[in-house]
Amino acid sequence: MSHAIPITRVSQSRLTEALRENSEFGATFSDHMLVADWERFVEAASNRSLRPASFSPALTPFHYGQAIFEGFKAHRTANRGLAQFRPRENFARMNRSATRLAMPEIPSRSSFEGVTELVRLDRDWVPYREGGSLYVRQRNFGVDDTLLVRPPIVPLSS
């Protein structure tokens, strides 16, 4: 079952041809990000404009390292289209790591749909130069506002 991921677009992109084609890997961010509350992933996921996030100093990643990251690339094809490099395998790795850290798995299908829409939304950021790509970096981290040692909040119920 497919669910539309709400989108909040930036009013004006910062993108220029020079920024797209000459950015150092990992140093420039596109205009949007996918944000999801895993307790209500389907209802709460949204693609929104890139912005800073504020966190409690008691979050579990800061004290117990309860955080995961993975990434994959979107790149131009020979006909100037877009391709994502093995995103489903990326989500599988995320979920294996989540299991090892006693964290809930992310719903792969919903997350895949959200990330695919994010790549479509920021498709103009994908360089045309040889070897250029848009790097999609997902992260998953505990958000408990406590110093208690325990698995994070209970995962989605089926």
Side-chain angles (χ1 to χ4, degrees):
M1 180 174 182
S2 179
H3 299 279
I5 303 291
I7 298 171
T8 303
R9 298 179 193 276
V10 295
S11 57
Q12 185 166 351
S13 178
R14 306 176 285 104
L15 182 62
T16 64
E17 183 178 349
L19 183 62
R20 180 185 61 227
E21 298 302 328
N22 301 315
S23 290
E24 187 177 359
F25 182 81
T28 303
F29 295 86
S30 65
D31 291 326
H32 301 91
M33 62 184 179
L34 174 67
V35 176
D37 174 346
W38 62 262
E39 284 188 299
R40 300 175 300 120
F41 189 91
V42 172
E43 305 92 62
S46 66
N47 279 311
R48 58 177 73 158
S49 58
L50 182 69
R51 60 181 163 221
S54 59
F55 301 106
S56 163
L59 288 186
T60 54
F62 300 146
H63 300 279
Y64 304 112
Q66 197 171 35
I68 306 164
F69 71 88
E70 274 291 342
F72 66 91
K73 294 178 180 179
H75 58 88
R76 296 282 173 190
T77 61
N79 66 358
R80 299 176 68 90
L82 291 180
Q84 296 177 38
F85 183 74
R86 303 176 66 192
R88 293 186 195 285
E89 289 82 355
N90 178 272
F91 290 109
R93 286 191 306 271
M94 286 281 288
N95 284 334
R96 283 193 303 270
S97 295
T99 298
R100 285 192 294 271
L101 289 174
M103 296 173 70
E105 291 186 4
I106 58 171
S108 296
R109 182 181 177 145
S110 299
S111 188
F112 177 77
E113 289 171 2
V115 168
T116 297
E117 183 57 33
L118 177 65
V119 170
R120 279 191 204 110
L121 185 61
D122 279 343
R123 67 185 165 274
D124 292 339
W125 285 84
V126 180
Y128 289 91
R129 71 178 183 276
E130 178 77 24
S133 62
L134 174 69
Y135 185 61
V136 179
R137 168 64 77 84
Q138 303 111 298
R139 60 212 177 280
N140 185 2
F141 52 91
V143 293
D144 287 353
D145 193 9
T146 180
L147 296 181
L148 294 172
V149 178
R150 64 178 185 199
I153 305 166
V154 183
L156 285 169
S157 57
S158 311

